[in-house]
Coordinates of all heavy atoms in Angstrom, one line a residue:
Q1 N -24.3 50.5 111.7 CA -24.4 51.9 111.6 C -23.1 52.6 111.9 O -22.4 52.2 112.9 CB -25.5 52.4 112.5 CG -26.9 51.9 112.3 CD -27.4 52.3 110.9 OE1 -27.3 53.4 110.5 NE2 -27.9 51.3 110.1
P2 N -22.7 53.5 111.1 CA -21.4 54.2 111.4 C -21.4 55.0 112.6 O -22.4 55.6 112.9 CB -21.1 55.1 110.1 CG -22.5 55.2 109.5 CD -23.3 54.0 109.9
G3 N -20.3 55.0 113.4 CA -20.2 55.8 114.6 C -19.0 56.7 114.6 O -18.6 57.3 115.6
G4 N -18.4 56.9 113.4 CA -17.2 57.7 113.3 C -17.5 59.1 112.9 O -18.7 59.6 113.0
D5 N -16.5 59.8 112.5 CA -16.6 61.2 112.1 C -17.5 61.4 110.9 O -17.4 60.6 109.9 CB -15.2 61.8 111.9 CG -14.3 61.8 113.1 OD1 -14.9 61.7 114.2 OD2 -13.1 61.8 112.9
N6 N -18.3 62.4 110.9 CA -19.1 62.8 109.7 C -19.9 61.7 109.1 O -20.0 61.5 107.9 CB -18.2 63.5 108.7 CG -17.5 64.7 109.2 OD1 -18.1 65.5 109.9 ND2 -16.2 64.8 108.9
G7 N -20.4 60.8 110.0 CA -21.3 59.7 109.5 C -20.5 58.6 108.8 O -21.1 57.8 108.0
T8 N -19.2 58.5 109.1 CA -18.4 57.4 108.5 C -18.0 56.4 109.5 O -18.4 56.5 110.7 CB -17.1 58.0 107.9 OG1 -16.2 58.4 108.9 CG2 -17.4 59.1 106.9
F9 N -17.3 55.4 109.1 CA -16.8 54.4 110.1 C -15.4 54.7 110.5 O -14.7 54.0 111.3 CB -16.8 53.0 109.4 CG -18.1 52.4 109.2 CD1 -18.8 52.4 108.0 CD2 -18.8 51.8 110.3 CE1 -20.0 51.9 107.8 CE2 -20.1 51.3 110.1 CZ -20.7 51.3 108.9
I10 N -14.9 55.9 110.1 CA -13.5 56.3 110.5 C -13.6 57.4 111.6 O -14.4 58.3 111.5 CB -12.8 56.9 109.3 CG1 -12.8 55.9 108.1 CG2 -11.4 57.4 109.6 CD1 -11.9 54.7 108.2
Q11 N -12.8 57.2 112.6 CA -12.6 58.2 113.7 C -11.2 58.7 113.6 O -10.3 58.0 113.9 CB -13.0 57.7 115.0 CG -12.9 58.7 116.1 CD -13.4 58.2 117.5 OE1 -13.6 57.0 117.6 NE2 -13.5 59.1 118.4
E12 N -11.0 60.0 113.3 CA -9.7 60.6 113.2 C -9.2 60.9 114.6 O -10.0 61.3 115.5 CB -9.7 61.9 112.4 CG -10.2 61.7 110.9 CD -9.2 61.0 110.1 OE1 -8.0 60.9 110.4 OE2 -9.6 60.5 109.0
Y13 N -7.9 60.8 114.8 CA -7.3 61.3 116.1 C -5.8 61.6 115.8 O -5.2 60.9 115.0 CB -7.4 60.2 117.2 CG -6.8 58.9 116.9 CD1 -5.5 58.6 117.3 CD2 -7.5 57.9 116.2 CE1 -4.9 57.4 117.0 CE2 -7.0 56.7 115.9 CZ -5.7 56.4 116.3 OH -5.1 55.2 116.0
P14 N -5.3 62.6 116.4 CA -3.9 63.0 116.1 C -3.0 62.0 116.8 O -3.2 61.6 117.9 CB -3.8 64.4 116.7 CG -4.8 64.4 117.8 CD -5.9 63.6 117.3
M15 N -1.9 61.6 116.1 CA -0.9 60.7 116.7 C 0.4 61.0 116.0 O 0.6 61.1 114.8 CB -1.3 59.3 116.4 CG -0.3 58.3 117.0 SD -1.0 56.6 116.8 CE 0.3 55.7 117.6
L16 N 1.4 61.2 116.8 CA 2.8 61.4 116.4 C 3.3 60.1 115.9 O 3.3 59.1 116.6 CB 3.7 61.9 117.5 CG 5.1 62.2 117.2 CD1 5.3 63.3 116.1 CD2 5.9 62.6 118.4
V17 N 3.8 60.0 114.6 CA 4.3 58.8 114.0 C 5.8 59.1 113.6 O 6.0 60.0 112.9 CB 3.5 58.4 112.8 CG1 4.1 57.1 112.2 CG2 2.1 58.1 113.2
T18 N 6.7 58.2 114.0 CA 8.1 58.4 113.6 C 8.5 57.0 113.0 O 7.9 56.0 113.3 CB 9.0 58.7 114.8 OG1 8.8 57.7 115.8 CG2 8.6 60.1 115.4
T19 N 9.6 57.1 112.3 CA 10.2 55.9 111.7 C 11.7 55.8 112.0 O 12.3 56.9 112.2 CB 10.0 55.8 110.2 OG1 10.6 57.0 109.6 CG2 8.5 55.8 109.8
Q20 N 12.2 54.6 112.0 CA 13.6 54.4 112.3 C 14.3 54.4 110.9 O 14.1 53.6 110.1 CB 13.8 53.1 113.0 CG 15.2 52.9 113.4 CD 15.3 51.6 114.3 OE1 14.3 50.9 114.6 NE2 16.5 51.2 114.7
K21 N 15.3 55.4 110.7 CA 16.0 55.5 109.5 C 17.1 54.6 109.3 O 17.4 54.2 108.2 CB 16.4 57.0 109.3 CG 15.3 57.9 109.1 CD 15.7 59.3 108.8 CE 14.5 60.2 108.7 NZ 14.9 61.6 108.3
K22 N 17.7 54.2 110.4 CA 18.8 53.2 110.3 C 18.8 52.4 111.6 O 18.1 52.8 112.6 CB 20.2 53.9 110.1 CG 20.6 54.8 111.2 CD 22.0 55.4 110.8 CE 22.5 56.2 112.0 NZ 23.8 56.8 111.8
T23 N 19.5 51.3 111.6 CA 19.5 50.4 112.8 C 20.0 51.1 114.0 O 21.1 51.7 113.9 CB 20.3 49.1 112.4 OG1 19.7 48.5 111.3 CG2 20.3 48.2 113.6
A24 N 19.3 51.0 115.1 CA 19.8 51.6 116.3 C 21.0 50.8 116.9 O 21.1 49.6 116.6 CB 18.7 51.7 117.4
Q25 N 21.9 51.5 117.6 CA 23.0 50.8 118.2 C 23.0 51.1 119.7 O 22.7 52.2 120.1 CB 24.3 51.4 117.6 CG 24.6 51.1 116.2 CD 25.9 51.7 115.7 OE1 26.5 52.6 116.3 NE2 26.4 51.1 114.6
L26 N 23.3 50.0 120.4 CA 23.4 50.1 121.8 C 24.7 49.3 122.2 O 24.8 48.1 122.0 CB 22.2 49.5 122.5 CG 22.2 49.5 124.1 CD1 22.3 50.9 124.6 CD2 21.0 48.8 124.6
I27 N 25.6 50.1 122.8 CA 26.9 49.4 123.1 C 27.2 49.8 124.6 O 27.2 50.9 125.0 CB 28.0 50.0 122.2 CG1 27.8 49.6 120.7 CG2 29.4 49.4 122.6 CD1 28.7 50.3 119.8
L28 N 27.4 48.7 125.3 CA 27.9 48.9 126.7 C 29.4 49.0 126.6 O 30.1 48.0 126.3 CB 27.4 47.7 127.6 CG 27.9 47.6 129.0 CD1 27.4 48.8 129.8 CD2 27.5 46.3 129.7
K29 N 29.9 50.2 126.9 CA 31.3 50.5 126.7 C 32.2 49.8 127.7 O 33.4 49.5 127.4 CB 31.6 52.0 126.6 CG 31.0 52.6 125.4 CD 31.3 54.1 125.3 CE 30.8 54.7 124.0 NZ 31.1 56.1 123.9
N30 N 31.7 49.7 128.9 CA 32.6 49.2 130.0 C 32.1 47.9 130.6 O 31.9 47.7 131.8 CB 32.8 50.2 131.1 CG 31.5 50.7 131.7 OD1 30.5 50.3 131.3 ND2 31.6 51.4 132.8
G31 N 31.8 46.9 129.7 CA 31.4 45.6 130.1 C 32.6 44.9 130.9 O 33.7 45.3 130.8
L32 N 32.3 43.8 131.5 CA 33.3 43.0 132.3 C 34.5 42.6 131.4 O 35.6 42.7 131.9 CB 32.6 41.8 132.9 CG 33.4 41.0 133.9 CD1 33.9 41.8 135.0 CD2 32.6 39.8 134.4

């Protein structure tokens, strides 16, 4: 039996979704 929204099996919920457009960079500038 469906338990989601409006008698469906889907339950909607808001969620912020982001994507990475380019490769992230992490540089330790003052390494040993």
Side-chain angles (χ1 to χ4, degrees):
Q1 297 300 311
D5 298 337
N6 302 315
T8 69
F9 288 100
I10 306 288
Q11 183 177 7
E12 301 286 346
Y13 59 93
M15 182 172 181
L16 180 63
V17 177
T18 57
T19 57
Q20 186 174 356
K21 293 185 179 183
K22 63 181 185 176
T23 303
Q25 293 182 338
L26 178 62
I27 300 171
L28 176 62
K29 292 184 178 180
N30 60 348
L32 188 58

